[in-house]
Amino acid sequence: MSAPALYLEKVERRYDQAGAPLDILRGADFGLWAGQSAALIAPSGAGKSTLLHIAGLLERPDAGEVYISGVPTVAMADESRTALRRSEIGFVYQFHHLLPEFSALENIMLPQMIAGHSRKEARERATQLLDYLGLSARADHRPAELSGGEQQRVAIARAVANGPGLLLADEPTGNLDPKTAHHVFEALDAIVRATGLATLIATHNMELADRMDRRITLRDGLLVELP
């Protein structure tokens, strides 16, 4: 079997809170393979965002190892971690973080051009993704001219534009009404199934969680599979 897209090995993370250590992760182990989707379900404050930041190479653990497609990353230089993150990991947040001065199409083109793709290649890929997500007619609209659901679908397209192996999402529908959230679920699910991404989504939304292949939670600093 090929290496998992994401593998956490005995990961520990603690913070200093009023002079006392606060343990968030206490030797967490977790593997996620290409084509698998997992929902991370846990109460606020349990450490979901910390876990995603560590998995996404935005934060280093205090102990343990984080493997991305079999590559150990904890001891990597910052520049190497950034390069790996840009090529192998896509992020979707609760807030879309689109650049307001650029169109939907341009927002999806930019990360590709930063990664070294030509403007022509980036435009073709962005156009395909917008078409796939039913947003072709909105390609030239800036974020302020898009609905919340449309903005989040553009954010999903941007996250997968460089063909990453791993997609991480932190409450991607947390700011949306139920009907709009449903449309975003559909878009996220469709693009995950079509691309074979490994996907880890932190969510409170059980409709979205029920669509995932696996459901996990944080319990006493460990990752535990749910039935």
Side-chain angles (χ1 to χ4, degrees):
M1 180 183 285
S2 60
L6 169 67
Y7 186 66
L8 307 179
E9 183 180 48
K10 295 182 170 41
V11 168
E12 298 179 15
R13 188 70 173 106
R14 66 189 61 86
Y15 298 103
D16 185 70
Q17 189 176 62
L22 175 65
D23 290 317
I24 302 297
L25 300 173
R26 305 181 183 187
D29 291 307
F30 177 67
L32 189 66
W33 278 260
Q36 280 189 340
S37 59
L40 174 58
I41 310 160
S44 295
K48 296 191 301 296
S49 293
T50 295
L51 180 73
L52 288 177
H53 287 169
I54 289 172
L57 310 186
L58 295 169
E59 196 173 320
R60 293 180 196 263
D62 294 306
E65 186 58 86
V66 179
Y67 296 89
I68 302 295
S69 296
V71 178
T73 63
V74 170
M76 271 186 175
D78 287 342
E79 296 82 0
S80 299
R81 284 167 63 89
T82 298
L84 186 62
R85 186 167 62 244
R86 283 178 178 165
S87 65
E88 291 297 322
I89 305 171
F91 294 90
V92 181
Y93 298 101
Q94 183 171 349
F95 299 98
H96 55 77
H97 297 303
L98 299 175
L99 297 173
E101 66 271 31
F102 295 102
S103 69
L105 185 75
E106 290 166 337
N107 266 281
I108 303 168
M109 290 172 62
L110 280 170
Q112 299 178 74
M113 293 171 69
I114 290 169
H117 296 284
S118 70
R119 187 176 184 85
K120 181 175 181 291
E121 289 172 327
R123 176 177 287 274
E124 287 176 356
R125 171 75 168 158
T127 300
Q128 289 171 352
L129 286 167
L130 285 171
D131 181 53
Y132 189 80
L133 294 174
L135 291 171
S136 293
R138 313 295 274 166
D140 294 328
H141 290 65
R142 293 186 179 182
E145 300 171 305
L146 302 173
S147 70
E150 288 170 339
Q151 290 171 351
Q152 197 63 312
R153 278 186 281 164
V154 172
I156 292 168
R158 178 185 58 186
V160 302
N162 279 333
L166 174 66
L167 180 67
L168 302 173
D170 194 356
E171 296 288 354
T173 60
N175 279 342
L176 305 174
D177 64 81
K179 184 178 179 181
T180 304
H182 179 77
H183 290 311
V184 173
F185 296 160
E186 295 285 345
L188 190 56
D189 189 49
I191 212 154
V192 165
R193 303 296 174 193
T195 57
L197 279 164
T199 308
L200 178 60
I201 301 177
T203 184
H204 285 105
N205 193 300
M206 293 311 296
E207 182 187 348
L208 178 57
D210 286 343
R211 287 173 174 263
M212 304 291 102
D213 300 320
R214 298 163 62 190
R215 281 154 293 282
I216 58 173
T217 191
L218 278 163
R219 192 174 294 157
D220 297 325
L222 300 176
L223 280 163
V224 180
E225 295 272 350
L226 295 172

